[in-house]
Amino acid sequence: MNTPADLKYTASHEWVRSEADGTVTVGITEYAQDALGDIVFVELPTVGKSYTAGDDTAVVESVKAASDIYAPLSGEITAVNDAVAAAPESINTDAFAAWLFKLKPNDPEAINGLLDADAYGKSTEA
């Protein structure tokens, strides 16, 4: 399983990348897309809406199930990836390129409380 070391992760299988502008980019992990199977629909959050860490922000549906995507940090949605909504199967092709949304965290240091690649990898071992 691919788990890039430069990203942070959540126990609910979101990946989080810090950006130079202070935002974070969020997507689902390779592990999550593999467990879901063929992804057929993505519902993205509304730009400008604020969420608390752990809130449902988006939905990814596959032929197997629908899965909620959670805010990894508290903050405001600044962008969504319309290309993924138009072609949800792109998540299956490359989960780390097919980001879902960008968020401006209320507390940028909160990202340090997320899992690193090693801890996330251990959490997914059977």
Side-chain angles (χ1 to χ4, degrees):
M1 180 178 66
N2 184 19
T3 310
D6 62 328
L7 303 177
K8 292 290 194 170
Y9 300 88
T10 67
S12 54
H13 309 292
E14 290 87 16
W15 59 261
V16 183
R17 181 178 60 231
S18 292
E19 303 295 349
D21 65 0
T23 63
V24 295
T25 301
V26 180
I28 67 168
T29 64
E30 188 173 282
Y31 178 89
Q33 71 79 26
D34 188 52
L36 283 167
D38 293 334
I39 296 173
V40 296
F41 178 76
V42 176
E43 180 181 320
L44 298 170
T46 303
V47 173
K49 186 168 181 182
S50 292
Y51 292 93
T52 299
D55 285 353
D56 299 355
T57 57
V59 177
V60 174
E61 292 182 21
S62 72
V63 294
K64 292 182 184 178
S67 183
D68 289 328
I69 307 303
Y70 303 101
L73 306 167
S74 297
E76 180 183 336
I77 302 296
T78 60
V80 295
N81 189 349
D82 291 325
V84 165
E89 66 279 3
S90 64
I91 296 171
N92 294 117
T93 305
D94 187 344
F96 296 105
W99 59 277
L100 300 177
F101 59 89
K102 294 183 185 250
L103 180 135
K104 180 153 183 64
N106 295 340
D107 176 9
E109 296 300 315
I111 195 169
N112 296 323
L114 300 178
L115 301 171
D116 64 15
D118 287 338
Y120 178 73
K122 287 178 183 155
S123 78
T124 61
E125 291 173 0

